[in-house]
Amino acid sequence: EAGVVQSPRYKIIEKKQPVAFWCNPISGHNTLYWYRQNLGQGPELLIRYENEEAVDDSQLPKDRFSAERLKGVDSTLKIQPAELGDSAVYLCASSEFWVTTGELFFGEGSRLTVL
Amino acid sequence: DQQVKQNSPSLSVQEGRISILNCDYTNSMFDYFLWYKKYPAEGPTFLISISSIKDKNEDGRFTVFLNKSAKHLSLHIVPSQPGDSAVYFCAASPSGTSYGKLTFGQGTILTVHP
């Protein structure tokens, strides 16, 4: 069974440029998460989707970040314009709808470097 | 405010010995606690979890202990193997509608020497 797929794996851009990350969750997983991991820190939740509905986006910096999950499957996370502090690894994760243990399946991440 | 803390940035042990990784939390609303393992250039992978109604959960060489009164949990790996060398993240999740909203610690780098 295929895991969570993310692209691109690495992205280097200059500040003020836009960038987008794509995620394809595990088949059948209704819940999708975007996390950001800064260097030396644990992942932090940005947004959580139940099917196509964003049910928790309290941590998403809405002035420059946006996300969508059309048709409740793939998801895209966009940053426009990027700032130096956005350099991080962006992790996508998915889980079954009624997971009660908090077990999430993570992709390999997209490493963003903003120059 | 860091709700989940791993105060040891790194741990080094000999192969065959026990590895003990520690984690403290502050939020009493956390209902599940998890450990994830992360290799370089890979995403975190789930290792083991424990519900707040239990004080111990065991899975092969891995055991997680929970002390609710102290708001402390630990991961024991016995015996440690070189392949266990990775970054270990402690995470906590509330129950109810916020399940899956994991709060992670900063991670502990475990190195197991042959």
Side-chain angles (χ1 to χ4, degrees), chain A residues 49-60:
Chain A
Y49 281 94
E50 297 291 355
N51 297 308
E52 62 272 10
E53 181 183 0
V55 295
D56 186 350
D57 63 356
S58 57
Q59 301 288 88
L60 190 72

Side-chain angles (χ1 to χ4, degrees), chain A residues 20-36:
Chain A
F21 306 110
W22 174 81
C23 173
N24 180 246
I26 292 174
S27 177
H29 281 191
N30 302 91
T31 309
L32 184 146
Y33 312 77
W34 282 102
Y35 279 81
R36 177 171 61 187

Side-chain angles (χ1 to χ4, degrees), chain A residues 46-94:
Chain A
L46 291 175
I47 189 168
R48 175 166 68 104
Y49 281 94
E50 297 291 355
N51 297 308
E52 62 272 10
E53 181 183 0
V55 295
D56 186 350
D57 63 356
S58 57
Q59 301 288 88
L60 190 72
K62 297 182 182 63
D63 57 336
R64 297 182 301 106
F65 286 64
S66 65
E68 61 182 10
R69 191 183 183 197
L70 300 177
K71 300 180 181 179
V73 181
D74 295 2
S75 178
T76 303
L77 177 69
K78 297 179 181 178
I79 309 174
Q80 183 170 12
E83 297 180 351
L84 295 177
D86 296 332
S87 295
V89 176
Y90 292 83
L91 293 161
C92 179
S94 69

Side-chain angles (χ1 to χ4, degrees), chain B residues 48-59 62-67 74 76:
Chain B
I48 192 170
S49 66
I50 187 168
S51 164
S52 61
I53 63 173
K54 296 185 177 181
D55 55 18
K56 177 182 175 181
N57 188 27
E58 196 171 349
D59 184 2
F62 303 90
T63 303
V64 57
F65 296 91
L66 175 63
N67 182 334
S74 60
H76 292 210

Side-chain angles (χ1 to χ4, degrees), chain A residues 9 35 48 56 97 100 104 107, chain B residues 32 36 41 43 97 99 101-102:
Chain A
R9 289 294 312 278
Y35 279 81
R48 175 166 68 104
D56 186 350
F97 182 62
T100 57
L104 310 182
Chain B
Y32 279 95
Y36 278 79
T97 56
Y99 61 84
K101 184 175 181 177
L102 299 182

Side-chain angles (χ1 to χ4, degrees), chain B residues 68-86:
Chain B
K68 283 189 67 176
S69 60
K71 293 189 173 65
H72 177 83
L73 66 155
S74 60
L75 174 68
H76 292 210
I77 306 174
V78 183
S80 301
Q81 300 174 353
D84 295 329
S85 297

Side-chain angles (χ1 to χ4, degrees), chain B residues 2 9-10 12 17 27 29 37 46-49 79 86 97 109 111 113:
Chain B
Q2 190 118 29
S10 62
S12 181
R17 305 295 292 269
N27 191 338
M29 299 303 292
K37 180 168 71 173
F46 171 76
L47 192 57
I48 192 170
S49 66
T97 56
I109 301 171
T111 304
H113 299 283

